[in-house]
Amino acid sequence: EFRGREESGGGGVTYPEFLTVVTRVMRGIKGEGFTVQFGHLVDRVVIAELERMQHKEEEEKDDSGAMSGGGDEDEEKATLLRKEMPLPFLFAALSLALNSTVNDRVRVLYEAMRMSSPSSSDGEMGTADSTTADGEETTSTTVVSGEQVAAMIHHLQNTCQLVPAAQVVETNSKVPYQTFRVGTGPELTKRAREGYGGKKGNPGVTREGVEGPCS
């Protein structure tokens, strides 16, 4: 529905547009009585992200010396809902309402990244051949870029879907004691691919390295 807009550089879709498409598609499958369960939770997460986006824009205006006058509260809310958001973020938020397993949710988010991949503009997905430790070639697998994975992790952070322990990284401040902070999407992606999957070439780590595509 939205791939053509992304290809033309539209940047994303609004939340009402996204909900309209989701509801239309699901009612075609489930019937006219379909509703998004836990939709109120998705609403809160998306509105919180829109408010963060608005706050960031206001800070940038203040830094540049631009004046932002106050407006009607209802108009401000309507303006928020007209802001375009990245499609992968909206899929990440929607996954909060899915009554499914973690594996199913991961698969949906992976498909969302494939949809927004530049290599899918002509209807074909990027692929990469895998090689075992013995040098034997395996079947090709569909891949997405490391940048897309890092962005999706950032979306999962903003939608509160990652446990705190998985987001903690060390800082360079070690004296008088080690300090920690919340890691960014690229940092968490790099750590996962370097450490949690074992040495490069082992299951869970792609052979392309930290910056390469993920299958």
Side-chain angles (χ1 to χ4, degrees):
E1 292 279 349
F2 301 117
R3 184 173 295 169
R5 180 179 301 186
E6 289 194 339
E7 292 171 14
S8 62
V13 298
T14 67
Y15 183 47
E17 288 175 332
F18 178 75
L19 283 183
T20 298
V21 173
V22 169
T23 303
R24 182 172 69 248
V25 171
M26 293 306 299
R27 283 181 177 173
I29 299 173
K30 300 287 188 179
E32 289 299 320
F34 169 80
T35 58
V36 178
Q37 295 184 3
F38 300 109
H40 62 285
L41 177 59
V42 180
D43 288 343
R44 291 179 181 179
V45 168
V46 172
I47 290 174
E49 178 65 14
L50 287 170
E51 289 176 343
R52 276 195 292 267
M53 293 169 58
Q54 178 71 18
H55 181 66
K56 183 178 180 180
E57 290 179 1
E58 291 176 352
E59 286 185 337
E60 291 175 350
K61 288 181 180 179
D62 291 340
D63 291 340
S64 63
M67 299 295 292
S68 57
D72 181 76
E73 183 176 352
D74 292 336
E75 177 61 27
E76 290 180 356
K77 291 180 179 178
T79 301
L80 276 181
L81 293 177
R82 289 194 293 267
K83 287 183 177 296
E84 293 187 347
M85 310 184 76
L87 192 55
F89 170 84
L90 293 171
F91 276 113
L94 183 63
S95 70
L96 289 167
L98 296 181
N99 182 21
S100 58
T101 64
V102 173
N103 286 340
D104 286 339
R105 294 187 185 195
V106 171
R107 179 181 55 80
V108 169
L109 297 179
Y110 176 61
E111 292 297 329
M113 288 188 288
R114 289 196 350 168
M115 288 172 55
S116 59
S117 174
S119 61
S120 68
S121 60
D122 56 359
E124 298 180 359
M125 305 298 177
T127 60
D129 294 327
S130 300
T131 305
T132 65
D134 298 329
E136 297 179 358
E137 291 190 359
T138 60
T139 56
S140 296
T141 55
T142 303
V143 297
V144 295
S145 70
E147 289 78 7
Q148 285 178 287
V149 175
M152 180 58 74
I153 290 177
H154 179 65
H155 297 328
L156 292 173
Q157 288 180 290
N158 285 347
T159 55
C160 304
Q161 296 188 65
L162 296 182
V163 296
Q167 304 179 59
V168 178
V169 297
E170 294 181 352
T171 70
N172 293 326
S173 178
K174 303 179 184 297
V175 179
Y177 48 80
Q178 177 66 61
T179 58
F180 302 86
R181 62 177 173 80
V182 177
T184 64
E187 289 172 336
L188 298 182
T189 302
K190 180 178 180 180
R191 184 179 67 178
R193 299 177 70 175
E194 286 183 326
Y196 294 162
K199 295 181 180 179
K200 191 190 304 183
N202 285 358
V205 180
T206 60
R207 60 188 175 89
E208 288 81 5
V210 178
E211 303 300 332
C214 302
S215 59

